[in-house]
Amino acid sequence: MAEIALRPVTRDELRGLPADIAPRLLGAHLTTVVDGESVTVRLTEVEAYHGRGTGDRPDPGSHARMGPTPRNATMWGEPGHLYVYLSHGIHSCVNVVCGPVGEAGGILMRAAEVIEGEDAATRRRPAARTLRDLARGPGRLGRAVGLRHPDHDGIDAVTGEPRAGASARLLVRAAPLAEIAAGPRVGVAGVGGTEAFPWRFWIAGDPTVSAFRWGRGAAAVKGDAPSVLD
């Protein structure tokens, strides 16, 4: 297999709308070093989320849909930092912050293939039955790479500056993937989880991509005119 050319992501290329940037992150590599252990994953599935006032229409599925709060503060900050939030009180999920400062946006890392540091990822994810399951889903991904809420919320994936015993770096493909799949986001309630927001992007056929499920009420709404990422 030919080696894929990668380069560090820049802040400037993350200043646009998350829905536009998200496909560009497929095939990107996230490397974390947590408590001295390094893990690298290749992103195979991502989802875009906009905040209040971002883009041409409200995003009812976003944590930032109502404006800034203590929970979503990182989303309103400098692009390239990672918004690490807690889902269902137990799972730390990882997002890349996008857009200019003051405009909230994030790209959720939904699934990935662990390509380096399998031993560390496996110790963090002892329930994983196969290697493909190590980072198959956002909570599993967060645990596999070792990033935790609240310790690592806001960590900088552009500079790699350490925070709370961890560092993170994001490298993107020099040449974006030519063919990707897109559709509704997973498990988002109401219209925010329908074809009205086809902001989930994935590498078709990749075995690490997570299974799709409708959010509460989304299947019934089915794309009617314009509820969360939990």
Side-chain angles (χ1 to χ4, degrees), residues 126-187:
R129 296 182 179 180
T130 64
L131 292 179
R132 81 163 191 163
D133 288 329
L134 284 175
R136 190 171 182 246
R140 295 173 176 180
L141 188 155
R143 183 176 292 273
V145 300
L147 296 180
R148 304 180 301 271
H149 171 87
D151 296 347
H152 304 132
D153 181 30
I155 196 169
D156 194 341
V158 173
T159 66
E161 182 178 356
R163 174 180 293 220
S167 64
R169 292 299 302 266
L170 182 64
L171 277 67
V172 294
R173 291 173 54 103
L177 286 170
E179 296 184 8
I180 61 172
R185 297 174 295 192
V186 176

